[in-house]
Amino acid sequence: MYTLCIAGTLVIATSCSENRTNDSRDVAEQENKSKLTSDNRTGDNRTAVVIDNDNDAQFLMDAAEMRYENISLGQLAQQKGNTADVKELGKMMEEENTKSLNELRTLAQSKSIAIPTSVTEDSRDAHKDLSDKNGNDFGKSYSSRMVDQHEDAIDLYEKAANDSEDPQIKAYASENLTTLKTQLRKAKECKDKSDKRSS
């Protein structure tokens, strides 16, 4: 009986610690580290070259994290937005980021780099914060977050477009900059409209 109690406690403790480390990004990082270790042991340097170039792996993971968040919050904006422009911004974010995420998945797979496969913990927190808002407060907060996030995304993609030594990653980053800039402009327009409205 005593042994069963100890075993039960261990299972609960283990499952709790697993939940803490089960963030989609953490899982991807662990997978990349495992691949690198495995490839070094077997002498296969094909995937090690890209994973070892930390900037490319980090770019792909950061980009995926942003895309998942934009899709998730875009869906929320379509449900909770109280104006046509907020709903339209959400719809555009969901559709365009889904398309880009599919391209990103294919690219990461071709480089044997693991990327997040779902919304990360930080994005879930952002979703929860926005879920608690209503009316124009939601519109203001959502469009403001999209402006901030797209400014960060453009910086991230410009850096990869300029600095990456991998031609395919460089091309992906370059090709997506125009769309990101359009999304930023739309987000700013939506934010301006929301800021002018009373709550």
Side-chain angles (χ1 to χ4, degrees):
M1 188 66 180
Y2 174 76
T3 310
L4 282 175
C5 288
I6 296 287
T9 307
L10 284 174
V11 168
I12 291 165
T14 307
S15 65
C16 288
S17 68
E18 276 174 12
N19 284 343
R20 278 200 300 275
T21 58
N22 227 8
D23 182 78
S24 184
R25 186 186 176 98
D26 294 341
V27 171
E29 284 178 345
Q30 279 307 116
E31 212 175 302
N32 287 332
K33 284 177 190 167
S34 299
K35 279 182 192 165
L36 182 58
T37 308
S38 161
D39 289 342
N40 284 343
R41 264 204 313 269
T42 59
D44 178 5
N45 286 325
R46 286 176 296 120
T47 57
V49 169
V50 178
I51 295 167
D52 206 23
N53 181 350
D54 199 46
N55 290 339
D56 283 340
Q58 289 302 318
F59 164 69
L60 293 176
M61 286 193 289
D62 288 343
E65 187 172 354
M66 286 177 169
R67 297 299 182 180
Y68 275 113
E69 181 173 310
N70 286 339
I71 294 164
S72 168
L73 297 185
Q75 291 166 343
L76 184 65
Q78 291 171 76
Q79 294 162 20
K80 293 204 71 166
N82 68 327
T83 62
D85 46 289
V86 172
K87 287 180 181 287
E88 282 165 17
L89 180 64
K91 187 171 191 284
M92 181 183 79
M93 290 300 174
E94 182 186 6
E95 289 174 355
E96 292 184 358
N97 280 279
T98 299
K99 179 178 179 287
S100 182
L101 180 60
N102 289 334
E103 293 168 1
L104 185 62
R105 279 192 197 119
T106 303
L107 176 60
Q109 194 173 11
S110 75
K111 304 294 171 190
S112 297
I113 294 176
I115 58 173
T117 55
S118 62
V119 174
T120 61
E121 204 62 54
D122 287 344
S123 297
R124 275 196 286 276
D125 290 344
H127 191 283
K128 186 184 180 311
D129 288 346
L130 279 174
S131 294
D132 293 339
K133 298 184 186 303
N134 292 300
N136 198 48
D137 283 343
F138 175 85
K140 281 181 179 179
S141 298
Y142 171 67
S143 56
S144 180
R145 183 163 184 93
M146 287 299 98
V147 169
D148 292 345
Q149 214 217 38
H150 279 74
E151 286 173 344
D152 290 346
I154 288 166
D155 288 345
L156 178 74
Y157 275 68
E158 280 178 343
K159 189 173 187 320
N162 293 326
D163 299 345
S164 177
E165 292 175 13
D166 184 295
Q168 288 168 308
I169 291 174
K170 200 179 184 85
Y172 169 81
S174 299
E175 287 160 13
N176 276 272
L177 275 168
T178 305
T179 306
L180 286 169
K181 286 174 182 172
T182 302
Q183 289 173 353
L184 175 60
R185 183 172 49 80
K186 296 279 189 189
K188 281 180 173 174
E189 287 169 6
C190 187
K191 183 180 181 297
D192 288 344
K193 288 178 186 173
S194 294
D195 287 346
K196 284 172 186 164
R197 289 187 198 102
S198 58
S199 289

